[in-house]
Amino acid sequence: MLGYVEGYRKAAVALFESTAATYTSPDYLVFPIAFLWRHHVELALKDIIAVGRQLAGEPWGFPAHHRLLALWDDARPHIIQCGDPEAPELANVEANLREFEVIDPGADGFRYPLNRDRTARSLPNAPEYVNLRILHEAMEALANFLSGVRSELGTRLDYIAQMKADERE
């Protein structure tokens, strides 16, 4: 999963930085950048769920849907194992996810100009204007948080694997 998770993040960062460096009009790139960030977050949550399930002794896996808040609900129990369940960062993460969910609930609004029925705009709840720098900074903070959680869970999984290997020796 890591190649996918980090690949979408790196693509979002590269596209944003190129846009900022070349003064390219963000009007054309806001949709691809937002899609890349949204997909990164979705995959990061799914990765946390999969590793969290392994730590719980369950088979590796994650839900097939694209709903960020439902993924957050599945990932949150694994996330709070890494720290304070009342940490303000959790509320901030959820607020960011809620905003993405309101704007693009089906994970296809940033990819297509029309809804699935092709009867209306795909993003009727999108803000009229988007400051790409603010979006980028918020998403970097969110991505850093999720990366830290995944790192902690991965370290725990590695520790368990090492303990089991040591027992077999």
Side-chain angles (χ1 to χ4, degrees):
M1 287 283 285
L2 186 62
Y4 286 89
V5 174
E6 289 306 310
Y8 280 95
R9 180 181 184 170
K10 288 181 182 298
V13 169
L15 191 53
F16 169 78
E17 288 176 351
S18 172
T19 301
T22 61
Y23 302 102
T24 303
S25 172
D27 294 342
Y28 298 110
L29 298 175
V30 67
F31 301 111
I33 291 171
F35 169 75
L36 291 168
W37 275 123
R38 189 198 188 286
H39 200 57
H40 163 75
V41 169
E42 178 184 330
L43 292 175
L45 289 169
K46 288 179 175 184
D47 191 30
I48 288 168
I49 292 166
V51 173
R53 287 179 177 178
Q54 281 185 289
L55 283 169
E58 301 169 17
W60 185 94
F62 51 83
H65 64 76
H66 307 287
R67 297 181 314 276
L68 294 179
L69 291 175
L71 292 170
W72 171 250
D73 288 342
D74 286 347
R76 198 172 196 285
H78 307 297
I79 292 169
I80 62 173
Q81 290 178 15
C82 298
D84 179 5
E86 301 301 320
E89 292 84 1
L90 296 174
N92 187 47
V93 168
E94 186 169 333
N96 280 287
L97 297 176
R98 190 170 304 287
E99 192 166 348
F100 259 110
E101 185 88 1
V102 166
I103 294 170
D104 186 12
D108 58 355
F110 291 118
R111 294 185 294 155
Y112 303 104
L114 299 174
N115 65 9
R116 290 177 192 231
D117 300 341
R118 291 175 285 204
T119 58
R121 284 185 34 208
S122 63
L123 299 169
N125 298 321
E128 187 173 350
Y129 300 101
V130 175
N131 183 318
L132 279 183
R133 181 164 307 284
I134 291 173
L135 171 65
H136 178 74
E137 289 170 0
M139 296 313 298
E140 281 279 38
L142 177 56
N144 288 338
F145 174 84
L146 295 174
S147 178
V149 168
R150 176 53 178 85
S151 179
E152 173 65 23
L153 293 174
T155 299
R156 292 178 185 197
L157 195 60
D158 291 346
Y159 176 77
I160 291 169
Q162 184 61 50
M163 295 299 291
K164 287 180 180 177
D166 290 348
E167 288 174 4
R168 288 190 297 264
E169 291 179 358

